[in-house]
Amino acid sequence: MYRYFLYIYDYLASHRRWATVLLLLLLALMGVLSFQVKYEEDISKFLPQDPKREKFQEVYQQISAQEKIAVIFTSADSTHVVGDDTLELAMAEMGQKLEASRLTQNLQVTVDDARLQATTDFVYQHIPYFLHTSDLQRIDSLLSIPGYVDRQMQVNRQMLMTPMGGMMMSTLKYDPLHLFTPVVERLRGTGLGSARFQLIDGYLFSRDGQYAMITFDTPYGVSETHHNAILADSLEAMSRAVEQRYPQVCISAIGAPLIAVTNAQQIKADALMSVSIAVILILVILIWHYRRLQDLFWISGSLFFGWLFALAGMALFSDSVSIIVLGIGSVIIGIAINYPLHFLDHLREVADRRAALRDMLPPLLIGNITTVAAFLCLIWLDAQAMRDLGLFGSLMLIGTILFVLVFLPLYVKTSNTKSRTIVSSSLRFPKIPYLLPVVVVLTMILGYFSLQTSFDDDLSHINYMTASQRADMQRLSSTVSASPVYVVVEAENLEAALTKDRRIRQQLEALADTRVDGLGNLLSDQARQKQQLRLWDSLLEKHPELSPTFH
């Protein structure tokens, strides 16, 4: 293999002009390809991915409303509670600004009363399908109490005479005996946890009245951080404008799209800082060691060629690359820079460029092959970003070594000093008695304490959030009674999925201290529906006085 590189050097050295044309063409081609690369800022790409996990992630995103953004309205002064009217005025104005911006989808400032009433009507009109066996037993027990119907009608008459009587009419016309109140409450609690909110004048408030919020969906998805960043800036400007109108109100926003934007901005800043620090430190060392501008130029040129080669390769093998990978590129720079360093250092000892190339071919190639092989091992991992890192790192090392072995010997100028024999240094380290036992003891001590090291297994820490976002996230988390565990049922059709869901629900409900919510509270398979209707008909037969009202 080594002689092939020497043949290439001999040919290009005798055709220097064609070598220059070839180098410029390669740079132009790689430059064009590198502009085709799309950069991603999704930190979830570092998590393992397979078809099963991707399916679960898709379901989770749909369930947990990943595209939703909540705008939270609280008191600017924590010692003073803002009135509901002020919060409602601020929410109304913010809603108008969001609607006029045309940057949102499914904007919900107030709860649609007509839709809420339609949902209530649907539930009561189909109440037999929502009843459990325990509900039927409870209804039967209530109706078996002597005088229960007369007492409830007397209670209804008194309630209708109060100022709240008008609000009770929609419920009383379906359930004058208050038989289905626990059922409706159970259906209201169906969802992801038990979010504790209340409606005031159609606006969504927390149960304690400390904050209110409006929600909307981003039209760009969660991972489209570029457009979501524009949305975040517009949202920030609108919030500040409303706060100027209502100084006693504090407005903030939280949601997966906004957290993704914060992550992307932090990733860019960290990547730029890490690469900049690495380049500055390397330049300081190189300037101190070489003190020749052309050496620094060719070292930088080797790294630039390798970087461009890697980006062009990524454009051919992948549609996109995580920008975090480019941030980790600072580590790859520290590896790739060794190739031109070794060659230029050896060229200071051996004035003949071909001889220097012949001497450096074996160590450079062997070192490059082993390092590239190490990076290529990452390609077999499940995480997409880790595969990108392995491919990018190996391509950069390959591109750098090709430049060092093919083009660098053609253009670098040799030093005017004559070749000299390398002599061993006169520097000698002092002999320290009993050094080996000391090292062994220290190793054992450090090894013992290393066993106490633990890894952070909380995936929520993988996201970067500002202090305001963490406070909003904590505020929303406090409204949820428990962290839900999702059980996903998959089947060839809806009927089969509902049948599976019913069996699984029965097993889960048998567990102690377990609350089960989900689609099973709303939908049942056909066999279950027929059973519910039979039980309902039996109840009506036992209590015929209910037939005119509930049949």
Side-chain angles (χ1 to χ4, degrees):
M1 180 186 294
Y2 307 138
R3 65 175 181 272
Y4 294 119
F5 282 96
L6 293 176
Y7 291 156
I8 293 173
Y9 171 80
D10 293 336
Y11 180 81
L12 294 180
S14 59
H15 301 81
R16 187 69 62 87
R17 182 175 301 176
W18 289 110
T20 303
V21 171
L22 175 62
L23 177 59
L24 294 177
L25 287 176
L26 287 175
L27 290 174
L29 177 62
M30 292 187 299
V32 171
L33 290 175
S34 64
F35 281 106
Q36 308 301 318
V37 177
K38 297 180 181 179
Y39 300 99
E40 289 185 345
E41 301 159 343
D42 189 358
I43 198 170
S44 64
K45 294 292 184 180
F46 275 88
L47 300 177
Q49 295 291 331
D50 56 41
K52 187 176 181 180
R53 288 192 180 97
E54 290 177 356
K55 183 181 296 184
F56 288 161
Q57 185 176 1
E58 180 182 358
V59 172
Y60 177 74
Q61 288 179 352
Q62 295 176 358
I63 293 176
S64 57
Q66 289 286 297
E67 297 181 354
K68 192 168 293 295
I69 296 175
V71 183
I72 302 175
F73 298 78
T74 60
S75 174
D77 185 0
S78 59
T79 61
H80 177 70
V81 179
V82 181
D84 297 342
D85 294 340
T86 304
L87 289 177
E88 290 174 7
L89 290 173
M91 294 170 70
E93 183 169 340
M94 187 68 179
Q96 293 175 357
K97 291 180 177 294
L98 287 172
E99 187 174 6
S101 68
R102 299 185 182 276
L103 295 174
T104 65
Q105 288 181 344
N106 303 324
L107 176 63
Q108 180 177 299
V109 181
T110 59
V111 177
D112 189 349
D113 292 335
R115 181 179 298 179
L116 186 61
Q117 184 60 46
T119 303
T120 302
D121 294 342
F122 176 83
V123 170
Y124 279 114
Q125 290 168 4
H126 301 82
I127 196 66
Y129 298 104
F130 300 107
L131 296 176
H132 294 173
T133 303
S134 59
D135 298 322
L136 293 169
Q137 293 173 351
R138 180 183 52 80
I139 294 172
D140 182 40
S141 299
L142 291 175
L143 294 176
S144 300
I145 300 175
Y148 175 79
V149 175
D150 294 336
R151 285 196 300 271
Q152 286 299 323
M153 297 306 295
Q154 181 65 27
V155 172
N156 293 339
R157 187 178 299 109
Q158 295 175 359
M159 293 179 61
L160 290 174
M161 296 174 63
T162 64
M164 301 293 293
M167 300 178 60
M168 302 293 297
M169 287 299 298
S170 61
T171 301
L172 290 178
K173 69 179 181 179
Y174 290 113
D175 188 15
L177 301 181
H178 303 278
L179 300 175
F180 310 122
T181 302
V183 180
V184 176
E185 291 296 328
R186 183 175 66 241
L187 294 177
R188 287 176 179 173
T190 298
L192 308 181
S194 300
R196 291 170 282 207
F197 294 99
Q198 62 177 331
L199 290 178
I200 301 178
D201 299 330
Y203 293 92
L204 192 63
F205 280 76
S206 62
R207 281 292 183 187
D208 56 8
Q210 295 294 320
Y211 69 92
M213 70 177 181
I214 61 179
T215 61
F216 64 89
D217 294 341
T218 172
Y220 310 113
V222 179
S223 300
E224 186 54 57
T225 54
H226 174 70
H227 291 95
N228 284 333
I230 299 175
L231 172 60
D233 293 338
S234 301
L235 185 59
E236 179 70 17
M238 288 184 281
S239 300
R240 301 293 80 79
V242 175
E243 285 180 345
Q244 289 181 357
R245 288 285 306 276
Y246 304 95
Q248 63 271 45
V249 177
C250 176
I251 304 176
S252 57
I254 189 65
L258 300 182
I259 294 177
V261 170
T262 304
N263 273 278
Q265 294 172 346
Q266 189 65 31
I267 288 169
K268 290 178 181 178
D270 292 345
L272 180 61
M273 178 179 295
S274 61
V275 174
S276 300
I277 293 176
V279 170
I280 292 174
L281 291 178
I282 291 174
L283 282 177
V284 169
I285 296 174
L286 293 180
I287 292 173
W288 174 77
H289 179 70
Y290 285 100
R291 305 179 186 275
R292 288 203 313 171
L293 185 61
Q294 71 149 342
D295 290 340
L296 300 179
F297 172 78
W298 288 117
I299 292 173
S300 302
S302 302
L303 298 177
F304 175 74
F305 187 91
W307 189 276
L308 207 59
F309 184 87
L311 290 179
M314 295 299 294
L316 294 177
F317 295 109
S318 178
D319 296 333
S320 59
V321 59
S322 173
I323 198 171
I324 311 177
V325 170
L326 303 184
I328 304 176
S330 58
V331 178
I332 307 174
I333 290 175
I335 300 174
I337 199 174
N338 289 309
Y339 304 145
L341 284 180
H342 286 310
F343 182 80
L344 292 175
D345 258 0
H346 192 65
L347 197 61
R348 298 171 71 179
E349 307 298 336
V350 180
D352 183 72
R353 287 178 290 188
R354 190 180 189 280
L357 178 61
R358 184 184 64 246
D359 295 341
M360 295 305 300
L361 269 172
L364 287 180
L365 277 179
I366 293 174
N368 178 261
I369 291 173
T370 55
T371 310
V372 168
F375 275 99
L376 287 178
C377 292
L378 299 177
I379 294 179
W380 282 271
L381 298 181
D382 292 332
Q384 178 62 43
M386 297 303 294
R387 293 198 295 266
D388 289 345
L389 175 60
L391 184 60
F392 181 82
S394 58
L395 288 175
M396 182 174 178
L397 295 177
I398 292 174
T400 305
I401 196 66
L402 287 177
F403 183 87
V404 170
L405 298 182
V406 176
F407 295 105
L408 184 59
L410 298 175
Y411 301 104
V412 65
K413 293 182 179 179
T414 58
S415 59
N416 296 326
T417 59
K418 297 183 180 180
S419 302
R420 58 183 184 271
T421 303
I422 301 176
V423 296
S424 60
S425 174
S426 58
L427 179 63
R428 293 291 184 270
F429 290 100
K431 293 184 178 180
I432 302 178
Y434 309 111
L435 179 60
L436 180 59
V438 172
V439 172
V440 172
V441 172
L442 288 177
T443 302
M444 295 176 63
I445 295 174
L446 296 176
Y448 171 77
F449 285 105
S450 68
L451 298 177
Q452 303 177 16
T453 303
S454 61
F455 296 94
D456 188 359
D457 55 0
D458 189 349
L459 289 181
S460 64
H461 294 165
I462 198 172
N463 282 322
Y464 171 79
M465 289 188 289
T466 63
S468 175
Q469 289 176 335
R470 290 191 181 277
D472 289 338
M473 185 65 69
Q474 182 65 29
R475 183 179 291 113
L476 291 180
S477 299
S478 64
T479 64
V480 180
S481 58
S483 300
V485 176
Y486 305 105
V487 179
V488 180
V489 178
E490 185 179 16
E492 58 275 7
N493 53 53
L494 179 59
E495 181 66 20
L498 290 174
T499 302
K500 283 186 177 180
D501 177 77
R502 179 162 56 89
R503 291 198 299 264
I504 294 176
R505 286 174 61 85
Q506 292 174 352
Q507 297 174 8
L508 294 176
E509 289 172 350
L511 300 176
D513 300 328
T514 301
R515 173 179 175 174
V516 182
D517 289 329
L519 193 61
N521 284 344
L522 303 176
L523 293 177
S524 300
D525 58 274
Q526 293 182 2
R528 174 62 177 167
Q529 290 177 11
K530 293 178 181 179
Q531 180 185 6
Q532 288 171 313
L533 285 177
R534 286 196 301 267
L535 294 174
W536 175 251
D537 291 338
S538 300
L539 180 66
L540 293 181
E541 290 177 1
K542 185 175 181 180
H543 301 280
E545 68 274 14
L546 300 180
S547 297
T549 305
F550 298 106
H551 204 290

